[in-house]
Each structure stands twice: as structure tokens, then as C-alpha cells.
Amino acid sequence: MINIKEKYEVHRYVGVPVETNSSGQYIIKKDDNGNYKFHNWRTGKHTKGNFKKLGQVFLTENNMMVAVIAVYDVKFNHRHEYTPLQRFTSEYVDKDLIIGLKKELNA
């Protein structure tokens, strides 16, 4: 049985991998077919930083940069269905990029 003190708030973050171009701007990494690669991650007990708003970039446990496109609550006992993220950064992708990605996600 889990002690109530051991529980923590869990959220699922839908995101897409990003990288920086030669100008230092974030661009979306696509798969070999030119499609966006939406994936799910979650906050973990040891996640560093805090989520502030859509478009925020976080690092996965493998140091991949990911931009948050959508956020959902997760019941604590369902947290192991998703991979934990490592830490949130203070970086954000352009809001116009987020608008386009949200349309793709909901298509």
C-alpha cells in the first residue's frame, strides 16, 4: 500500500521532439515520412522544474528535447503507463508552431 505522503501530482504531456536550427530557433523533428512524432510523457517523483504553459520544452531521460502540445491529468495509480520526463526547461517554441501542432494532434 502506498503511503499518502509518497504520492505526488502526475500529469501526462503530449509532445513532439524538437531540435535547434543554425539560428538557434526550435524546429520540429519529423519521422522519415515527414509526419510529426507525437508521444506521451509524464511527471515523475524526481522531475525537476515546473510546467508553465504549452510550448514549453522539457528534456527526456535520454536528453531529447520535447515541446509540450497538450497536458492531461493522470490518476496516480496509472502513472506507470507513461515514461517519466527528466526536467522542464525555461525555453519555449514559437506559439504559432504550437497552434499548428495542436491542429495536427486533433486531426
Side-chain angles (χ1 to χ4, degrees), residues 16-66:
V16 292
V18 295
E19 58 191 358
T20 53
N21 63 16
S22 58
S23 300
Q25 296 173 313
Y26 286 107
I27 55 173
I28 305 302
K29 291 170 73 173
K30 294 183 179 180
D31 66 17
D32 294 336
N33 297 321
N35 297 316
Y36 295 109
K37 300 187 284 186
F38 293 103
H39 294 287
N40 294 289
W41 287 270
R42 68 166 170 92
T43 45
K45 188 173 187 177
H46 302 288
T47 298
K48 306 262 188 296
N50 294 304
F51 174 73
K52 303 223 181 340
K53 66 179 184 175
L54 294 181
Q56 187 171 6
V57 176
F58 67 80
L59 294 176
T60 67
E61 291 184 335
N62 296 325
N63 291 319
M64 178 173 38
M65 294 184 297
V66 176

Side-chain angles (χ1 to χ4, degrees), residues 71-86:
V71 182
Y72 303 97
D73 290 334
V74 173
K75 290 184 178 182
F76 188 77
N77 58 339
H78 289 243
R79 69 192 184 283
H80 292 297
E81 296 173 20
Y82 308 102
T83 304
L85 61 96
Q86 181 186 63

